[in-house]
Amino acid sequence: MVHDLFFNLCGPSHSFDPGHFDTAVFRGMGLFNTPIWLLAIMSKSGLFDAWEVKTAQVLTYFNRSDIDGGFTYWPDGPDEDPARIAAPFWNTAFLTDNSRMYHRRESNGARDERDYPDLDMTSQLYAAADGEWSVRNGDKEIRRFGEADMRLLVHYTALLFDDADDVRRYHDHTDDLTPDKVFEMLIDDMRAKGHAIDEPSDPMNDMGFVARLTEFYKMAPSRYPAEAPLEVR
């Protein structure tokens, strides 16, 4: 069952991503009704596995450059060594479980062209003549790239079900999570592990509470390929 499909297109760029996993889907809570930060905490906590809907992803890359630009992944977990698929790619697809596996795109393209000092939230990308691409702030062009400099990712996610009963449980909402249930379980878990915490009146929007949850359940890879070390801002 199709869940989402998106793509991104970019020129040479940095990747400061230390490694992440994609947004998980839980019965009653997912990408379309729940903040991404909460879905990430739910996944990291391990408390909600009984409600998680299995997913599979197909990632298809188009990237002619062989300057960095690979795909790093941690098949044995974030505490173990990573694996890496090196660029270039052209219509190259990977079948993954990115909601359970840490991964990251690597920095790509010419290293002296990865900074965009004039880029802002209003900058736009346009197709230009002769297969080139133009990055503009309004009428002002701030960067131009040829096709060979561009990197395209098409990302497809499907939901997977064990049987017809599993499908009905998802569609009929007979065993859904709610935010109240989630916060209750998270707070109980933190207290059971010796962490004193007060229950906020508005947990979804209490930034102090969100920060404490994020810190308590944080995890990330610490080992990186020699060919693609972690970039730091």
Side-chain angles (χ1 to χ4, degrees):
M1 174 179 156
V2 177
H3 182 255
D4 61 68
L5 174 67
F6 69 86
F7 72 93
N8 61 57
L9 177 67
C10 68
S13 60
H14 295 285
S15 172
F16 301 106
D17 181 7
H20 68 280
F21 49 78
D22 291 350
T23 306
V25 180
F26 301 92
R27 288 193 295 276
M29 298 178 68
L31 180 63
F32 305 112
N33 66 358
T34 306
I36 290 175
W37 65 262
L38 181 54
L39 293 172
I41 288 170
M42 291 168 67
S43 293
K44 292 175 182 179
S45 74
L47 298 173
F48 308 98
D49 292 357
W51 288 272
E52 186 172 359
V53 180
K54 298 182 182 73
T55 64
Q57 290 76 32
V58 176
L59 286 67
T60 305
Y61 283 100
F62 297 83
N63 180 17
R64 296 192 188 280
S65 174
D66 61 357
I67 304 172
D68 304 328
F71 178 76
T72 307
Y73 61 102
W74 285 261
D76 300 313
D79 296 328
E80 303 300 326
D81 290 333
R84 179 175 184 257
I85 302 173
F89 311 110
W90 196 257
N91 201 19
T92 302
F94 316 137
L95 177 62
T96 68
D97 184 1
N98 278 357
S99 64
R100 283 282 184 170
M101 181 182 71
Y102 275 85
H103 60 281
R104 63 165 185 163
R105 79 162 186 90
E106 299 170 5
S107 302
N108 65 283
R111 296 172 187 174
D112 61 351
E113 295 186 2
R114 293 177 184 173
D115 292 314
Y116 298 76
D118 298 323
L119 194 71
D120 61 35
M121 293 298 292
T122 66
S123 300
Q124 295 185 338
L125 180 67
Y126 294 86
D130 302 321
E132 295 187 325
W133 293 86
S134 172
V135 183
R136 300 180 191 173
N137 289 344
D139 294 331
K140 179 184 178 182
E141 182 174 88
I142 62 173
R143 193 68 65 84
R144 180 176 286 250
F145 298 110
E147 180 188 358
D149 299 312
M150 303 303 291
R151 176 183 178 275
L152 171 66
L153 165 67
V154 180
H155 186 296
Y156 166 86
T157 296
L159 303 184
L160 308 177
F161 299 95
D162 293 333
D163 51 35
D165 287 339
D166 200 20
V167 175
R168 280 191 289 270
R169 186 162 47 244
Y170 175 79
H171 282 292
D172 295 344
H173 304 285
T174 55
D175 184 31
D176 279 2
L177 285 169
T178 65
D180 287 346
K181 176 70 172 176
V182 166
F183 288 124
E184 177 186 351
M185 291 177 65
L186 289 170
I187 290 171
D188 287 348
D189 183 54
M190 294 174 72
R191 288 173 176 169
K193 293 173 179 175
H195 190 82
I197 186 167
D198 295 326
E199 186 170 351
S201 59
D202 185 10
M204 196 72 80
N205 298 297
D206 186 324
M207 293 300 101
F209 176 69
V210 172
R212 294 182 73 179
L213 285 177
T214 302
E215 177 66 21
F216 188 82
Y217 290 107
K218 72 177 180 181
M219 63 174 70
S222 59
R223 306 178 193 177
Y224 298 89
E227 305 87 347
L230 177 64
E231 278 199 83
V232 180
R233 292 181 187 274

